[in-house]
Each structure stands twice: as structure tokens, then as C-alpha cells.
């Protein structure tokens, strides 16, 4: 039953995403299908989590949740069926995967690498069934409270809990929903499979989005680089919320790009609405996501304003806000009316100003940033080294029609990273302790988005190789 | 500042060497081809519409000025919509293919190495102590779960220090967290912090005087479940 509920959430998301069709007529077809499926998996999980929480608030979860899920499943399948029948889609997208020999070399290396990483994850899932300290003491513990009878679900954000009771509830809510309606058994299989779904979705989304926007060569290289980032690969099976958060960051930036890089405007509205929705899902995943929601929407609005006419910019921004609105309402209600204050709050302005003027703190943060960057992978296959090799050989080139999306992505990511650093500067916790326990996870949150944006500005290997042969 | 590493100098040196490496990769200087020349369809981005007009930057002049950007494809005609790349034979395809092969091989080797690293670490993690006894606690507290209603607030007594030290949780805190997880949705909080809970669970690492605990805390022993687990009720 647990597996059925897990699968149904993913299927609902995929059906809705195939219906929304954010990839439009971009090709190749396998990449468009993979992109929409990856987005759908994350969308379905977030949607079910939000619905479950809202139904808990109105004391209707036990009665309404399962019928609602079934209705969503049937409705989205029906709508998709009708649409497909009407469209009788022709083969505008390329259907076969053909290309030069080095596609097969990169694809083969990626496939074998994925097998080894998958085996390592399965090994970890078997050994640390309950996840790491943060997973069972925070995310899965809160899921257990949400499963409980009567009003025990409110314990998920009780100030009596020692660890971050103010954190949003996307992951815990989804796991709790599956546990609750699969007989109340809190099996470790559910958070484990959820973590695996997010890890797979991040990889699928990165590869497919780049295949659509930059060609198969860039996509396969980016996938290989993600496989070489050991610090990121260690996180999915920890069952923490950092990989889901990295997925929602990446999904938002991909959709912003799809929305702004569409010269004919066919998918502008849908992609902008979905980008807003995914940004709000990030806010429902972790507190860092709240910062991302604000920054990414602001950057989207500003870039649209400066690079287009104000009417179009306002329209784009409205669509993104419209998509974010349902998620923002739930997150806002939770943060304002239910959650206790964040453990980083409660400092006076004078205290924060004193910390902000202490240059020693900046030095400690900078050293930690560099040290953790070295820990991203093995020194001999460090992802930054591999990026340097590609930068030297390929050089940079940004497609004109992708410039807006690239600007939005880089501005969002850089401002987010600066915000992270700003929090470290004024943190009330011991700075070294705070850095040592969180910085690696912050890198993991932004890493897939960083890879995506790097490959958007690197020249396409296909083009460079073709030029070199002429 | 004394002892401050010369990062600026190092960066300049690195930039110079990267520039030289880049010059080596892009072997021949740009000779200039007429703009508007059509490029063949490379088949990687058929859905994008047309490629924009670009030409390669004149490497011989720009390389000296911007050593890292010598290979950038530069737009020269923004208004034209005919797909074209104007370039000469300035790249060595072998070097690109070798670079792609190196990146693929290193990524693959890193993935294989990752599997071995995880396998080694997980052998170490099979010891329950390394994972805070989390799986074991669920078994130890199975009878408590059967006895105590799921909506109750449960006090917690232990002989392990449960106070938070400066940064890292103590062993006592790790054990409390494990009990809290095992007994959820029951809310387990330290007895002194709980406001007169009906149920109290004791977890002890060595034999203790239960009668004294009963009288000190005004509790009534319900059951000693063994393994250092005891259930009380408030009198």
C-alpha cells in the first residue's frame, strides 16, 4: 500500500506535468519526456504534501485525502487522454537518439557511473535505514507526529522539540501522508524511496533540461559532473531535505529559462506559473527555500523589467506570482500562525551589527567556503577541476534567446549564496560549529543549479567540434 | 596582514598559465572568414529555432588581452537571422575529443571510487552505536509503545547527562532523541521540563534504586521491562 501511495503521488504529478507540457515542442523527445516526468515527480510530492497539511488544518485529512487523491489521478489522466486524442501529436520532436561516437562514450560513462552510484545508494539505504541524525531526529520524527491521532500532528512544530520546530513540512508531510494511509506503519521504506525519487529526479532534470536547451553533449557532461560530486551523492540517502530543496531550486531555474527563452511565447505563461509554483515548493521544504522564493521571484521580475518592456515584465511576474500563491499561502499561514520563532532570531540589532563589523568572522567563513569546496569530490576528479578543463577547451557562449533565463538563474543563485553567507555572519550559534554542520549541505543545495547554469554559459561541445573539423 | 597568503599573486599566475594552456589548445590563430556563411545543422538542438550569427573572436589579438576568453564565440551581427558560424580551422578536434574523454573517464572513475568509499564507510556504520542505537531503541521500547497511549505526553528520566553542552549534543541527548523517535507520536520530554505528565519512562545505563526514584519524584512503578527500561505513572 505504501508503494502504491508513493507511486500514485508521482503519477499524479507526471500526468499534470505532461498536461501542462512546459517543454513545449522542444526536442529531442526523450529529453522532453524525461524533463516533464522529473518535474512531475517533484510536483506530485509537493502537491500531496500541501493538500495533506491543509486537510490536517481543517480536520478532514482522514476522510478526504484518499478520495481527493483518487479524483486527482482520474481527472488528470482523463484530461491528458482527451488532449492527446485531440492533438494527435505529430513527430515534431526528434524521436531517435543518434549522434557522434563521443555521445556514446559520454552516455556510456554516465550510465556505468549511475549504476555504481545507484549501488552505493542502495548499500547506504540498507545500512542507515533510518537516515542520518537530522533525518530521524527532525524530518522523520515530525512525520511520525503528523501521523498521530487527534491533534498530535501539532507536535510536529512544538517548541518542546529541540531541533528546528519552525522548519516547513514538505518532506515530513509527504512521508506522513503515505504512512497514515498505508495502515499507520512507520516503515523506513517510505522516506528511503522518497529520497531516491528526489535524487533520480535531480539527475533526470539536469540532464534533460540541458539536452533540450544546450544539446546532448552538454547534458551528458553535466550528468557526469554530478556523478563526480561525492559530497552531493552522500546526501540523498541521509534522507534530509537538502536534495529535495536542490531539486526545487533547479526546477525553478529551468522553468524560468523555459519561460524566458521561448521566442514564440507558446510556453511562456505555463512555464512562468510553474516556476512560481516550484519556488513556493522550495519554501515549503526548508527555511532556505523561503529566501530562494523571494530572491528568485525578485530577480525574475527585475531581469524581465530591464530586458523587456514593462508590460511584458509585469505580466510575466504576475504569472510567476500566481503560480507561487497557493504554496505561499500555506507557508505563510504555517510560519506566521503555527511555527515557533526560528533559532536564528532573537538577537538585537546591536548584536547583529557587532557581528557584521567583525572582519574575523568573514575570514573564518571564507576559509570554510574554500575548505568545503575542496571536499566536493576527489582531488583527482574534482568537479571544479573538470569544469576548468571544459572551460579551457570549450570557452563560453550564451545563446541570445537564453540570456534572460541565464541572468535570472545566476542572479538568483549568487544572491542566494550571499544570503547564506550573510546568515553565517550574524548567526547566534557558534560560527565554527554552524559552518561545520551546515556548509556542505548548503553547497549540495545549490550544486545542481550551479552545474545547470555553468553549462548554459559554456559553448556547446557539438558546435566546437563541428567548427574544429571545418 | 602578516602571514596572509598572496592570493592575488597566485590568482594572476594561475590566470597566466590557464591562458597559455588555452593558447596551446586553440592551436591556430583566426584568419577571418566572411560573415553570413551557413553552418551545417549539428542536430543537437533542433527545437531551438535557428542558431544566431556569431563569429570567433580574433584569437591572436584578444588572447593577449583576455587570456581566458580567447575561445569565446562572439556575436557580430545581432540583427541577422540566417544561421551561420564563421570560423576557420583553428581548433584541433583531437584535443577536444581527448578533453571530453578525460572528463568522462574521471567522472566514471570518481563514481566507482565513490562506491568503494561508501561500502567501506557502511561496514563501519553497521555498528548500532554509530547510528545512535536508533534501530535498537524501537525494539527496546516495543512494550512501552503497547502500554502508553499514542496521544500522551511522556516524562523521561535517565542517568545519562541530558543537558546540552556548548555545541554538540551529549550522549544523553542522543539517547533521548532515539527514545523520542521510538515513542512518537507520544511526546517525550525530560521529566523536569514536563508539566506533570501521567506517564514517565526511565532509561538507565546501570542498576539504579527504583524505590528512591519513585519516592523522590512521586511516581509509581508500573513495570520494569528490562534492558534498563522502566515505566512509571504519576501518583
Amino acid at each position: 500500500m505504501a508503494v502504491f501511495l508513493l507511486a500514485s503521488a508521482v503519477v499524479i504529478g507526471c500526468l499534470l506535468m505532461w498536461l501542462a507540457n512546459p517543454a513545449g515542442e522542444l526536442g529531442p523527445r526523450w529529453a522532453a519526456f524525461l524533463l516533464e516526468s522529473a518535474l512531475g515527480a517533484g510536483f506530485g510530492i509537493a502537491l500531496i504534501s500541501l493538500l495533506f497539511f491543509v486537510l490536517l488544518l481543517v480536520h478532514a485529512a482522514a476522510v478526504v485525502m484518499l478520495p481527493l487523491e483518487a479524483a486527482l489521478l482520474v481527472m488528470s489522466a482523463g484530461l491528458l487522454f482527451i488532449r492527446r486524442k485531440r492533438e494527435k501529436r505529430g513527430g515534431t520532436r526528434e524521436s531517435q537518439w543518434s549522434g557522434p561516437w563521443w555521445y556514446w562514450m559520454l552516455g556510456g560513462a554516465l550510465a556505468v557511473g549511475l549504476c555504481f552510484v545507484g549501488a552505493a545508494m542502495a548499500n547506504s539505504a540498507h545500512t542507515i535505514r533510518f537516515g542520518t541524525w537530522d533525518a530521524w531526529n527532525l524530518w522523520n520524527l515530525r512525520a511520525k507526529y503528523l501521523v498521530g491521532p487527534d491533534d498530535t500532528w501539532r507536535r510536529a512544530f512544538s517548541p518542546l522539540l529541540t531541533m528546528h520546530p519552525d522548519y516547513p513540512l514538505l518532506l515530513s508531510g509527504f512521508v506522513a501522508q503515505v504512512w497514515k494511509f498505508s495502515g499507520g506503519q512507520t516503515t523506513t521504506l517510505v522516506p528511503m524511496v522518497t529520497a531516491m525519487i528526489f535524487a533520480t529526479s535531480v539527475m533526470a532534470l539536469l540532464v534533460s533540461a540541458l539536452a533540450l536547451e544546450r544539446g546532448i553533449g552538454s547534458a551528458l557532461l553535466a550528468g557526469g559532473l554530478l556523478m563526480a560530486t561525492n559530497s552531493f551523492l552522500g546526501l540523498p540517502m541521509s534522507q534530509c531535505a537538502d536534495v529535495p530543496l536542490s531539486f526545487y531550486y533547479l526546477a525553478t531555474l529551468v522553468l524560468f529559462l523555459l519561460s524566458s527563452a521561448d521566442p514564440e511565447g507558446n510556453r511562456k505563461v505555463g512555464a512562468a506559473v510553474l516556476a512560481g509554483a516550484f519556488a513556493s515548493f522550495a519554501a515549503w521544504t526548508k527555511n532556505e527555500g523561503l529566501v530562494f522564493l523571494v530572491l528568485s521571484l525578485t530577480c525574475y521580475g527585475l531581469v524581465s523589467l530591464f530586458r523587456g518592456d514593462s508590460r511584458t515584465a509585469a505580466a510575466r511576474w504576475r504569472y510567476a506570482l500566481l503560480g507561487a500563491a497557493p504554496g505561499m499561502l500555506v507557508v505563510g499561514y504555517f510560519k506566521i500562525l503555527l511555527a515557533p520563532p526560528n533559532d536564528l532570531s532573537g538577537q538585537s540589532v546591536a548584536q547583529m551589527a557587532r557581528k557584521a563589523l567583525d572582519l574575523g568572522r568573514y575570514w573564518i567563513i571564507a576559509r570554510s567556503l574554500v575548505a568545503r569546496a575542496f571536499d566536493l569530490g576527489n582531488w583527482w576528479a574534482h568537479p571544479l577541476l573538470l569544469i576548468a578543463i571544459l572551460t579551457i577547451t570549450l570557452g563560453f557562449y550564451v545563446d541570445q534567446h537564453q540570456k534572460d533565463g541565464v541572468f535570472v538563474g545566476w542572479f538568483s543563485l549568487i544572491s542566494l549564496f550571499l544570503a547564506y553567507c550573510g546568515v553565517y555572519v550574524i548567526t547566534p550559534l557558534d560560527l565554527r560549529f554552524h559552518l561545520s554542520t551546515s556548509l556542505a549541505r548548503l553547497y549540495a543545495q545549490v550544486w545542481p543549479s550551479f552545474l545547470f547554469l555553468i553549462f548554459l554559459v559554456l559553448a556547446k561541445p557539438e558546435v566546437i567540434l563541428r567548427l574544429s573539423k571545418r | 596582514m602578516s602571514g596572509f597568503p598572496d592570493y592575488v599573486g597566485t590568482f594572476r599566475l594561475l590566470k597566466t598559465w590557464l591562458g597559455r594552456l588555452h593558447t596551446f589548445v586553440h592551436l591556430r590563430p583566426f584568419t577571418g572568414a566572411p560573415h553570413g556563411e551557413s553552418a551545417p545543422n549539428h542536430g543537437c538542438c533542433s527545437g531551438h529555432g535557428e542558431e544566431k550569427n556569431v563569429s570567433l573572436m580574433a584569437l591572436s589579438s584578444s588572447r593577449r588581452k583576455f587570456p581566458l576568453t580567447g575561445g569565446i564565440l562572439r556575436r557580430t551581427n545581432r540583427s541577422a537571422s540566417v544561421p551561420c558560424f564563421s570560423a576557420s580551422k583553428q581548433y584541433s578536434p583531437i584535443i577536444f575529443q581527448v578533453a571530453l574523454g578525460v572528463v568522462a573517464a574521471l567522472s566514471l572513475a570518481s563514481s566507482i571510487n565513490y562506491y568503494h568509499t561508501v561500502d567501506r564507510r557502511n561496514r563501519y556504520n553497521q555498528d548500532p552505536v554509530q547510528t545512535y542505537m536508533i534501530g535498537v531503541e524501537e525494539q527496546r521500547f516495543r512494550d512501552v509503545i503497547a502500554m502508553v497511549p499514542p496521544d500522551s505526553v511522556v516524562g523521561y528520566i535517565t542517568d545519562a547527562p541530558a543537558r546540552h553542552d556548548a555545541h554538540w549534543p551529549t550522549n544523553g541527548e542522543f539517547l533521548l532523541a532515539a527514545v523520542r523517535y521510538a515513542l512518537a507520536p507520544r511526546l517525550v520530554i525530560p521529566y523536569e521540563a514536563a508539566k506533570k505528565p501521567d506517564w514517565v519512562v526511565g532509561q538507565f545505563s546501570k542498576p539504579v534504586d527504583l524505590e528512591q526514584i519513585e519516592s523522590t519524584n512521586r511516581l509509581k512503578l508500573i513495570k520494569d521491562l528490562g534492558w534498563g527500561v522502566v515505566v512509571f505513572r504519576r501518583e
Side-chain angles (χ1 to χ4, degrees):
Chain A
M1 185 64 178
V3 175
F4 174 75
L5 285 169
L6 268 164
S8 69
V10 172
V11 170
I12 288 170
C14 287
L15 289 170
L16 289 173
M17 213 46 64
W18 292 330
L19 203 60
N21 189 23
E25 290 304 314
L26 287 179
R29 183 175 285 175
W30 65 264
F33 176 78
L34 198 61
L35 177 111
E36 287 168 3
S37 306
L39 287 174
F43 189 86
I45 288 173
L47 182 69
I48 295 297
S49 172
L50 281 169
L51 285 175
F52 179 62
F53 182 73
V54 171
L55 291 174
L56 278 177
L57 282 176
V58 296
H59 302 280
V63 185
V64 179
M65 190 68 214
L66 277 186
L68 184 66
E69 220 172 315
L72 268 174
L73 193 65
V74 172
M75 196 180 67
S76 49
L79 283 173
L80 187 70
F81 179 74
I82 292 167
R83 183 174 157 172
R84 286 280 155 97
K85 213 172 174 186
R86 270 191 198 161
E87 282 182 353
K88 286 183 183 168
R89 303 233 274 191
T92 47
R93 295 165 175 173
E94 284 177 43
S95 55
Q96 75 271 27
W97 198 71
S98 59
W101 64 271
W102 56 269
Y103 273 14
W104 296 97
M105 175 189 74
L106 292 177
L110 180 60
V112 177
L114 277 173
C115 291
F116 276 96
V117 169
M121 284 185 184
N123 190 335
S124 292
H126 178 71
T127 311
I128 46 169
R129 286 185 302 127
F130 293 89
T132 53
W133 162 258
D134 276 19
W136 61 261
N137 192 30
L138 175 62
W139 305 108
N140 295 342
L141 174 68
R142 301 173 87 199
K144 277 184 131 184
Y145 288 133
L146 291 172
V147 175
D150 305 327
D151 269 357
T152 54
W153 62 272
R154 288 179 177 272
R155 291 172 182 174
F157 40 89
S158 162
L160 294 168
L161 292 177
T162 47
M163 268 186 84
H164 309 304
D166 64 304
Y167 270 15
L169 289 163
L170 184 142
L171 198 57
S172 306
F174 178 72
V175 169
Q177 187 271 152
V178 177
W179 275 346
K180 194 175 181 81
F181 297 107
S182 58
Q185 291 296 312
T186 54
T187 166
T188 52
L189 181 76
V190 177
M192 220 183 270
V193 175
T194 308
M196 199 63 105
I197 290 170
F198 274 112
T200 315
S201 300
V202 168
M203 171 55 90
L205 184 58
L206 179 66
V207 170
S208 58
L210 283 168
L212 291 173
E213 291 291 343
R214 300 297 286 179
I216 294 169
S218 298
L220 295 175
L221 284 168
L225 256 64
L226 192 63
M227 289 294 102
T229 316
N230 292 356
S231 67
F232 179 83
L233 299 176
L235 275 175
M237 283 304 110
S238 73
Q239 298 175 20
C240 292
D242 301 289
V243 174
L245 190 63
S246 74
F247 170 80
Y248 290 117
Y249 285 177
L250 177 63
T252 307
L253 299 187
V254 166
L255 286 160
F256 275 143
L257 181 79
L258 287 174
S259 143
S260 53
D262 180 18
E264 285 154 19
N266 294 333
R267 53 172 196 274
K268 254 182 189 148
V269 174
V273 171
L274 283 174
F278 276 93
S280 73
F281 296 158
W284 185 231
T285 308
K286 262 191 120 177
N287 282 353
E288 293 94 313
L290 269 171
V291 182
F292 176 77
L293 172 73
V294 174
L295 291 175
S296 62
L297 286 180
T298 308
C299 290
Y300 186 58
L302 288 177
V303 169
S304 305
L305 189 68
F306 283 113
R307 290 186 57 83
D309 64 291
S310 55
R311 251 182 82 184
T312 319
R316 276 189 190 186
W317 205 62
R318 265 203 309 274
Y319 287 127
L321 271 182
L322 186 73
M328 277 164 70
L329 274 178
V330 176
V331 177
Y333 182 84
F334 173 76
K335 295 298 277 186
I336 295 165
L337 295 174
L338 297 176
N342 181 258
D343 53 3
L344 297 178
S345 61
Q347 293 186 95
S348 66
V349 177
Q351 280 174 315
M352 286 193 278
R354 205 175 310 128
K355 285 174 180 168
L357 293 172
D358 182 359
L359 292 180
R361 293 176 76 84
Y362 292 94
W363 178 237
I364 293 170
I365 293 167
R367 271 198 330 200
S368 293
L369 286 173
V370 174
R372 284 292 173 184
F374 276 115
D375 291 342
L376 284 171
N378 299 305
W379 67 267
W380 45 267
H382 197 283
L384 293 176
L385 174 73
L386 302 184
I387 289 173
I389 292 174
L390 291 173
T391 306
I392 289 167
T393 48
L394 299 177
F396 296 107
Y397 177 69
V398 182
D399 280 339
Q400 179 67 16
H401 69 286
Q402 291 173 350
K403 271 189 178 167
D404 286 9
V406 171
F407 279 134
V408 174
W410 278 112
F411 287 152
S412 303
L413 209 64
I414 290 169
S415 53
L416 179 71
F417 200 74
L418 290 176
Y420 284 173
C421 294
V423 170
Y424 281 129
V425 171
I426 57 163
T427 179
L429 306 175
D430 177 76
L431 180 58
R432 286 193 176 85
F433 169 77
H434 199 177
L435 284 163
S436 69
T437 52
S438 59
L439 191 52
R441 287 184 288 116
L442 294 190
Y443 268 131
Q445 289 169 14
V446 296
W447 185 250
S449 303
F450 175 75
L451 283 181
F452 175 66
L453 294 172
I454 276 285
F455 278 91
L456 283 183
V457 296
L458 282 180
K460 300 172 190 175
E462 291 89 349
V463 177
I464 297 293
L465 274 163
R466 185 162 45 80
L467 284 173
S468 69
K469 285 173 184 166
R470 291 181 66 200
Chain B
M1 192 189 296
S2 63
F4 193 90
D6 182 14
Y7 285 115
V8 176
T10 312
F11 176 72
R12 277 190 188 142
L13 191 69
L14 188 68
K15 200 176 161 191
T16 311
W17 278 101
L18 282 175
R20 283 179 190 167
L21 184 61
H22 187 85
T23 311
F24 172 74
V25 172
H26 303 112
L27 292 171
R28 293 171 57 179
F30 179 71
T31 53
H35 297 305
E37 185 184 337
S38 289
N41 182 13
H42 50 77
C44 68
C45 49
S46 57
H48 285 170
E50 294 163 333
E51 288 288 352
K52 304 293 178 182
N53 279 7
V54 291
S55 75
L56 290 171
M57 188 179 281
L59 292 178
S60 52
S61 60
S62 65
R63 207 181 285 139
R64 280 191 293 278
K65 229 174 172 180
F66 309 105
L68 277 178
T69 57
I72 295 176
L73 296 169
R74 186 168 63 98
R75 176 180 313 285
T76 54
N77 182 0
R78 282 169 187 270
S79 59
S81 59
V82 183
C84 74
F85 277 98
S86 48
S88 64
K89 289 180 184 174
Q90 60 192 34
Y91 292 95
S92 166
I94 302 292
I95 286 183
F96 285 120
Q97 286 161 0
V98 167
L100 295 182
V102 166
V103 170
L106 287 176
S107 305
L108 176 60
S110 178
S111 308
I112 296 169
N113 181 263
Y114 175 72
Y115 173 78
H116 289 299
T117 311
V118 168
D119 190 42
R120 256 198 318 275
R121 194 174 56 214
N122 284 343
R123 276 182 212 156
Y124 172 74
N125 278 339
Q126 276 168 357
D127 179 0
V129 175
Q130 298 304 326
T131 48
Y132 315 106
M133 309 280 288
I134 179 68
V136 179
E137 295 294 59
E138 285 209 321
Q139 293 299 315
R140 283 179 71 202
F141 284 83
R142 198 168 41 193
D143 292 339
V144 182
I145 292 167
M147 205 180 292
V148 179
D151 58 348
S152 47
V153 177
V154 180
Y156 176 76
I157 295 179
T158 183
D159 57 350
R163 304 202 120 223
H164 206 290
D165 76 354
H167 310 305
W168 293 99
T170 59
N171 274 346
E173 275 200 315
F174 283 131
L175 289 173
L176 168 59
V179 173
R180 190 175 271 156
Y181 182 82
L183 295 185
R186 296 153 196 86
L187 184 62
V188 180
I189 42 182
Y191 182 64
E192 60 269 26
K195 290 175 186 167
K196 298 178 181 174
D198 287 336
W199 294 89
V200 178
V201 170
Q203 172 168 243
F204 304 105
S205 57
K206 52 186 181 287
V208 288
D209 185 351
L210 292 176
E211 282 182 9
Q212 195 198 342
I213 291 172
E214 277 184 297
S215 59
T216 313
N217 299 295
R218 302 183 67 185
L219 297 171
K220 183 169 179 272
L221 177 68
I222 301 294
K223 201 169 184 182
D224 183 351
L225 298 166
W227 285 31
V229 178
V230 185
V231 180
F232 302 96
R233 284 206 77 160
R234 197 161 51 84
E235 276 188 329

